[in-house]
Amino acid sequence: MVEPRSAELLKTEEMDDEGSRGDPELRDMEKRLSGVEVSTVEPPLSARPEVDLSQCPTSYKDNSSQEKTMLEMAANFHAQYCYLYPERKALLLCPLNECGVPKFVSTTLRPTLLPYPELYTWEGCAAFVSDFLLLEPLHPPIDPPKQLYSPTRVLQTRRGTSFDFSTLLCSLLLGAGYDAYCVSGYALKEMCCLDQSHQECPLLVNKEEVNVAEQKVLLKKYTVKPPRDLCSGFDKLQESKEKAKAQALLLKKQQEAERLEMKERPPSDPLLGLWVHSWVLVLSGSREVPDNFFIDPLTGKSFPTTDVSFVGVESVWNHRNYWVNMQDCRFGCAEMTYDLGDAAGWEYLLKPAAPIASEEPKVFEMPPSWVKRLEISEQGDSLPCCVLWLLSCHSTTSFMLGLSADMETRYPEGTKVIQYRKARLEKFAPYLLNDGLVTRLTTYKDIQCTQPSTVKEWFQNRQDHLEVRELTKADNVTLEQFQPGRSYSLKSHRYVTLVPETEREMEFYSHTRADGLARRVELPTEMTETFEQRTDFLYHRHVVFSRLSETLDQGQRPIEKVVEHFHRNRAKPASEDIAERVFLISEGHIQVTYHCEDDRIIPAWLNFVKPHDSQQQQPFTSDMVSMFQVDPFEKPRKKLFLYEMLMGLMKEEEKVTLKVIDSDKEVRAILALRKKEESNRKLNISIYNTARNENARIHREMEARLAKEEQVRREQKELDYLAPFLAQLGDPETLTHQQALQLRNDCLADLKQRLIDKANLIQASFEKETQELQYKQMWYQKHQLTMSKEDEAAYLAYCTEVMFRIHVLKLRLTRHKDKAPQKYLALEEKLRRDPRLTAHLC
């Protein structure tokens, strides 16, 4: 049996068991360990707050009888393990919880399914745990922790070791139906310390391309000979030289990249193979998991079980059992198998339960979890002071203060920073910043991250529908991408500055625009527009503006030339279907080019010269038009037709000019709107988000107040003794003298009748009980001589009970007769003092 740890550790431990502790190599190892610094990416954490034992449940402070038995079994198991394998590290079996009570690790797991769809998959659970908690490094890093806090405590403090991370993640995965296990083992330093500074940012890694199978060409016996190669030998020689130069350049770049990689590679780790780490193992079978895989709870990423980042495994456990690894891990976890039923590879603590039909005695089962049900609030009550300070620094609106949600804030204190290789990723909780920023990725040119290259930001809940903004530092170009629904159907905007008449590119959601505009590119003196799915088949328009600083009409640039291109309209002959239309406004010319016929390579065209003064009638002459007809046998077009065509084109020129002016105005309007939106950034708040939506909150409070007032009025109306009598009169606002007297008399008469009815009811009950008693006594006298002792005892019990009821009814009737006059007088006095009747009865 070889200890499942790294080769370096094995070399260090090749010694006798008795003399191992005094070996100078071990003393040297201890000195090295004491001088090793453990650094993490996260900022230093303050000490955990002390646990208030009075607030902890009983299961946290005491062990049940079943748990005590489990602890005894674990102690016995550990003693045998240490005797058989003295060279191996002690197992993590019964660490102390936050109350200082030893608890078995399997009972610390609390399978819980939370009511959030995001936590129904392993990806969502892993991402939540890695985002929600802060890492506390193990101290020392080569030993498992002495304490293992409950997942509820970890959720409260939002911090923990890798073992706390994996315990919480495994609890969520078990609740979601996965076959998950906590793993205690060894990993690389970068994984244990959450150091991702040598890894590529996932947002920068290109998506894996689908591998397409190469088609094999089958060689046939009888094939057509290929044509003779007529290429020049000199050209081939030059081409081969160019290829050789390109390959040499590529090889040089590869060598340079390898040299930089060697320089960036972290120094050798003296504790390689000794860093203790905990992660989660997910076995195949449940939830349609095809293969076994690891989940690192610190990053939320999945790894194959053969990944080199995991050096060795000591033990695994779930909420039902505990297994010790008996396999060789000198070469990592690549050759390990995870069939926990294999006794040769895994040693279990509790014997697996026998089948139901088996006659074997029932085995001891794992005690239930001592941890309370896990709860993650969707909307909390207050934010930590540090978050309030952060919010105030970012000028967040006041209504956001005092709101918190574990699922919404997600990250500790609402923000998280991850350092990657030449990249820095910042994540923010929704609504934390007043501009809606949720993610910012900054890439750098150098490995020290001192020269920014690009800054890419992702936004949510913006009223201007801004989704992504990317700034390239080299040329100061900004690219903004918008979600559907904003004004002018703007999709993206690439620019250097928001000043008009500068270089920019805009894309639009063409299917939501009446003109079908899909793209607009603007230069200082040019503008190009691209259209889609237009009924007039227009798909391209190019505008050239004059460079002359002439007097402009409300800032409008003078138009020098407009070129329009059209798709083929199959409903028209090619000789009548315009393909290109050019308006040379500064020169006074109009050029029209038609589509080519299917059997032609040259299109027909027309060139018109506009009249000098369109307001005055000017005769149309042959000098004002030149044309080219593809078919020489086609009849030339008549002057009237050409004149009408010229007039139509001049009208089209005016329309096109107006459209260009509208486009220019639209650009200016978009730029002005973007400036306004950036100066006064606002976020959308759903009407269902009652905690943040001020209008919804006011409406909800108003409805609650009105409902409460209505309830008070209803209760007062129910207690009003005059309410039924006022209803008979139609609920008048003021009473007349006659109505007041009628109310008084009706109310007194109603009370008198109710008193009489109650007296009659008591009297009837009294007479009924007396009559039944008399009948029973007559029956007794008739059957007295033939009755058994049981019948006689039953008769006596009946008489006693009936006599008691008769006595009670007699007392109630007497009391009612005494109280009735007093109730009548009290009501009469109350009516006399009622403010509604006082003026009429005094």
Side-chain angles (χ1 to χ4, degrees):
M1 169 61 198
V2 183
E3 181 181 354
R5 289 157 71 181
S6 66
E8 283 77 4
L9 180 60
L10 288 172
K11 292 178 182 178
T12 307
E13 294 184 347
E14 290 178 353
M15 57 190 70
D16 294 333
D17 296 340
E18 296 180 357
S20 60
R21 295 185 179 180
D23 195 6
E25 294 185 6
L26 273 186
R27 289 197 298 269
D28 181 62
M29 175 65 70
E30 292 178 355
K31 291 181 181 179
R32 284 193 292 156
L33 296 183
S34 61
V36 173
E37 295 183 359
V38 182
S39 59
T40 63
V41 179
E42 302 293 343
L45 301 174
S46 58
R48 291 191 185 184
E50 296 183 0
V51 179
D52 187 1
L53 297 180
S54 62
Q55 301 295 328
C56 295
T58 306
S59 61
Y60 285 56
K61 297 179 287 186
D62 298 314
N63 283 317
S64 63
S65 58
Q66 194 176 3
E67 287 180 299
K68 292 178 181 178
T69 304
M70 185 70 245
L71 294 177
E72 293 175 358
M73 296 178 64
N76 183 31
F77 180 83
H78 189 262
Q80 297 182 43
Y81 172 81
C82 293
Y83 177 77
L84 295 174
Y85 308 104
E87 74 282 357
R88 291 187 62 172
K89 188 157 292 192
L91 297 174
L92 181 67
L93 288 171
C94 304
L96 303 178
N97 67 353
E98 58 264 34
C99 298
V101 179
K103 296 286 186 179
F104 191 67
V105 289
S106 294
T107 61
T108 307
L109 294 172
R110 182 63 160 88
T112 305
L113 179 62
L114 295 169
Y116 303 108
E118 181 182 357
L119 302 183
Y120 293 168
T121 61
W122 74 262
E123 296 93 339
C125 294
F128 172 78
V129 172
S130 63
D131 292 340
F132 193 75
L133 304 180
L134 285 176
L135 175 63
E136 288 184 344
L138 293 174
H139 186 75
I142 62 171
D143 292 328
K146 298 290 190 289
Q147 281 189 317
L148 182 63
Y149 289 0
S150 65
T152 54
R153 182 65 178 174
V154 174
L155 287 174
Q156 291 175 0
T157 58
R158 305 188 73 163
R159 61 180 64 179
T161 64
S162 60
F163 288 83
D164 296 321
F165 274 69
S166 60
T167 301
L168 175 59
L169 176 57
C170 191
S171 299
L172 297 177
L173 293 176
L174 290 172
Y178 290 94
D179 189 11
Y181 301 82
C182 289
V183 182
S184 175
Y186 309 91
L188 297 181
K189 175 183 177 182
E190 290 75 17
M191 178 170 288
C192 298
C193 297
L194 193 54
D195 183 7
Q196 304 180 73
S197 58
H198 299 284
Q199 301 179 14
E200 294 292 337
C201 179
L203 298 178
L204 297 176
V205 178
N206 295 330
K207 297 182 179 179
E208 297 182 359
E209 299 180 356
V210 180
N211 294 327
V212 181
E214 297 182 358
Q215 298 179 355
K216 297 182 179 180
V217 181
L218 299 178
L219 298 177
K220 297 181 180 180
K221 183 177 181 180
Y222 301 102
T223 57
V224 178
K225 293 183 179 180
R228 188 176 181 180
D229 187 10
L230 301 178
C231 295
S232 170
F234 178 76
D235 291 341
K236 287 184 177 182
L237 179 62
Q238 293 298 112
E239 185 178 353
S240 62
K241 290 182 179 180
E242 293 293 333
K243 287 183 179 180
K245 289 182 180 179
Q247 291 179 354
L249 183 61
L250 180 61
L251 180 61
K252 184 177 180 181
K253 289 182 178 180
Q254 290 179 351
Q255 293 176 351
E256 183 68 18
E258 291 177 358
R259 187 180 64 81
L260 292 176
E261 185 178 356
M262 290 292 295
K263 185 183 295 186
E264 297 171 5
R265 186 174 300 174
S268 59
D269 182 14
L271 300 183
L272 181 63
L274 300 177
W275 292 86
V276 175
H277 189 52
S278 179
W279 62 94
V280 174
L281 165 66
V282 180
L283 296 184
S284 60
S286 300
R287 292 293 304 271
E288 300 180 357
V289 176
D291 300 309
N292 305 335
F293 66 94
F294 291 149
I295 302 177
D296 179 27
L298 304 186
T299 60
K301 298 178 182 178
S302 64
F303 298 86
T305 55
T306 57
D307 194 275
V308 296
S309 300
F310 302 94
V311 179
V313 175
E314 287 283 3
S315 59
V316 301
W317 64 89
N318 64 359
H319 61 302
R320 292 192 179 94
N321 209 340
Y322 188 97
W323 294 266
V324 179
N325 179 31
M326 309 302 293
Q327 302 174 68
D328 188 357
C329 291
R330 285 180 299 176
F331 303 102
C333 303
E335 302 298 329
M336 283 186 59
T337 61
Y338 296 93
D339 181 9
L340 300 181
D342 181 11
W346 298 92
E347 181 69 30
Y348 56 79
L349 175 59
L350 296 180
K351 184 178 180 181
I356 299 176
S358 177
E359 297 181 356
E360 296 183 7
K362 185 177 181 181
V363 298
F364 181 82
E365 296 182 354
M366 186 68 65
S369 177
W370 54 273
V371 180
K372 295 192 304 182
R373 176 178 174 81
L374 307 184
E375 294 181 356
I376 301 176
S377 64
E378 184 177 8
Q379 189 64 48
D381 298 327
S382 61
L383 286 170
C385 296
C386 53
V387 180
L388 297 178
W389 174 82
L390 182 61
L391 292 175
S392 62
C393 290
H394 288 280
S395 304
T396 310
T397 50
S398 59
F399 70 86
M400 294 184 186
L401 298 177
L403 300 177
S404 174
D406 289 342
M407 286 300 295
E408 188 175 288
T409 55
R410 188 63 175 262
Y411 315 107
E413 302 180 359
T415 181
K416 185 174 184 179
V417 180
I418 305 176
Q419 188 69 42
Y420 292 102
R421 180 181 179 274
K422 295 185 179 181
R424 178 184 176 90
L425 181 63
E426 301 171 80
K427 299 181 179 181
F428 306 92
Y431 296 104
L432 179 66
L433 305 181
N434 64 339
D435 60 352
L437 179 64
V438 293
T439 306
R440 179 191 291 127
L441 175 62
T442 306
T443 59
Y444 299 88
K445 299 179 180 178
D446 57 333
I447 194 66
Q448 292 79 18
C449 296
T450 58
Q451 303 176 13
S453 175
T454 60
V455 179
K456 193 171 184 179
E457 299 174 327
W458 286 262
F459 301 87
Q460 287 183 4
N461 308 310
R462 293 266 300 216
Q463 282 192 359
D464 58 3
H465 296 266
L466 179 62
E467 185 177 19
V468 181
R469 176 191 290 143
E470 184 175 1
L471 172 63
T472 305
K473 293 288 187 178
D475 50 9
N476 201 29
V477 174
T478 302
L479 173 62
E480 295 179 337
Q481 298 178 4
F482 302 88
Q483 294 176 335
R486 72 165 282 117
S487 57
Y488 302 105
S489 301
L490 183 62
K491 182 178 181 180
S492 67
H493 183 199
R494 185 189 299 272
Y495 62 93
V496 177
T497 175
L498 292 177
V499 176
E501 302 179 13
T502 56
E503 184 176 350
R504 71 187 67 259
E505 179 182 347
M506 295 181 180
E507 291 186 0
F508 302 85
Y509 293 98
S510 59
H511 62 280
T512 61
R513 289 183 61 107
D515 57 357
L517 179 62
R519 187 167 175 262
R520 178 185 288 135
V521 179
E522 185 180 12
L523 299 174
T525 59
E526 296 182 13
M527 181 173 65
T528 304
E529 295 179 324
T530 306
F531 303 89
E532 294 179 350
Q533 299 180 352
R534 284 179 60 115
T535 56
D536 58 357
F537 296 92
L538 175 66
Y539 70 91
H540 181 267
R541 178 186 291 145
H542 180 70
V543 183
V544 178
F545 298 98
S546 176
R547 295 178 179 273
L548 300 177
S549 56
E550 300 176 356
T551 303
L552 304 181
D553 183 13
Q554 298 180 354
Q556 174 60 39
R557 293 174 289 178
I559 302 172
E560 183 175 321
K561 177 182 177 182
V562 178
V563 181
E564 292 184 331
H565 294 86
F566 299 84
H567 286 298
R568 179 74 169 91
N569 183 5
R570 294 295 176 180
K572 296 180 180 180
S575 59
E576 299 178 5
D577 187 15
I578 298 177
E580 181 184 69
R581 196 165 60 183
V582 181
F583 299 100
L584 300 173
I585 300 176
S586 60
E587 300 178 7
H589 286 218
I590 300 177
Q591 298 175 357
V592 177
T593 304
Y594 295 93
H595 283 278
C596 289
E597 297 282 358
D598 295 337
D599 56 347
R600 305 288 183 176
I601 61 173
I602 302 176
W605 54 264
L606 290 170
N607 189 1
F608 293 96
V609 179
K610 295 190 300 181
H612 296 291
D613 190 355
S614 59
Q615 301 297 331
Q616 298 179 0
Q617 294 293 336
Q618 184 177 351
F620 182 77
T621 61
S622 58
D623 297 336
M624 300 176 65
V625 60
S626 59
M627 69 178 69
F628 171 75
Q629 292 181 348
V630 179
D631 188 359
F633 301 102
E634 184 180 356
K635 294 182 179 180
R637 298 178 179 179
K638 296 182 180 181
K639 276 189 176 182
L640 179 60
F641 175 80
L642 296 175
Y643 172 76
E644 292 177 349
M645 186 175 180
L646 175 59
M647 294 297 104
L649 289 174
M650 292 175 64
K651 292 181 180 180
E652 288 295 324
E653 181 180 288
E654 295 177 358
K655 293 180 181 180
V656 169
T657 303
L658 293 177
K659 290 179 181 178
V660 172
I661 294 174
D662 292 340
S663 297
D664 202 14
K665 290 181 179 178
E666 181 178 288
V667 171
R668 296 174 184 271
I670 292 175
L671 298 180
L673 181 60
R674 288 296 300 130
K675 288 182 180 179
K676 182 179 179 181
E677 290 169 345
E678 287 299 321
S679 62
N680 186 20
R681 293 170 289 193
K682 295 182 180 180
L683 302 181
N684 284 325
I685 301 176
S686 172
I687 58 174
Y688 302 105
N689 190 346
T690 55
R692 285 192 175 88
N693 195 308
E694 188 71 12
N695 295 331
R697 184 185 63 81
I698 294 174
H699 181 70
R700 186 177 68 256
E701 293 177 354
M702 183 180 298
E703 285 187 345
R705 184 172 64 255
L706 294 176
K708 186 176 181 179
E709 293 176 356
E710 182 64 24
Q711 181 67 19
V712 171
R713 284 196 298 269
R714 192 181 299 110
E715 292 176 355
Q716 292 177 351
K717 190 172 183 179
E718 291 176 356
L719 297 175
D720 188 4
Y721 52 91
L722 290 179
F725 305 102
L726 289 170
Q728 294 177 2
L729 298 177
D731 290 327
E733 296 182 0
T734 58
L735 297 174
T736 63
H737 181 71
Q738 185 65 27
Q739 289 175 335
L741 293 177
Q742 184 179 351
L743 276 174
R744 175 184 175 278
N745 296 334
D746 292 345
C747 191
L748 291 174
D750 181 74
L751 176 62
K752 183 178 179 180
Q753 186 61 40
R754 286 191 289 108
L755 293 174
I756 294 173
D757 293 342
K758 186 176 181 180
N760 293 336
L761 181 61
I762 298 173
Q763 181 65 33
S765 300
F766 177 79
E767 292 176 356
K768 180 181 178 182
E769 294 290 344
T770 303
Q771 187 177 7
E772 289 181 356
L773 180 61
Q774 290 175 358
Y775 289 154
K776 194 68 174 179
Q777 288 175 349
M778 292 173 61
W779 176 84
Y780 175 74
Q781 292 176 2
K782 183 177 180 180
H783 300 85
Q784 182 177 8
L785 298 177
T786 60
M787 289 179 60
S788 62
K789 291 184 179 181
E790 290 80 4
D791 294 338
E792 187 173 358
Y795 167 74
L796 293 176
Y798 172 77
C799 290
T800 303
E801 184 179 355
V802 173
M803 289 297 294
F804 176 74
R805 289 201 296 266
I806 292 174
H807 179 67
V808 171
L809 291 172
K810 186 177 180 180
L811 291 177
R812 289 180 63 188
L813 183 59
T814 303
R815 187 181 295 111
H816 180 68
K817 290 180 179 180
D818 295 339
K819 295 289 185 179
Q822 298 177 10
K823 292 181 179 179
Y824 187 87
L825 295 175
L827 179 59
E828 187 178 17
E829 181 64 22
K830 191 174 183 180
L831 289 172
R832 187 181 297 109
R833 295 181 179 180
D834 192 292
R836 293 168 291 184
L837 305 177
T838 302
H840 303 286
L841 301 181
C842 293

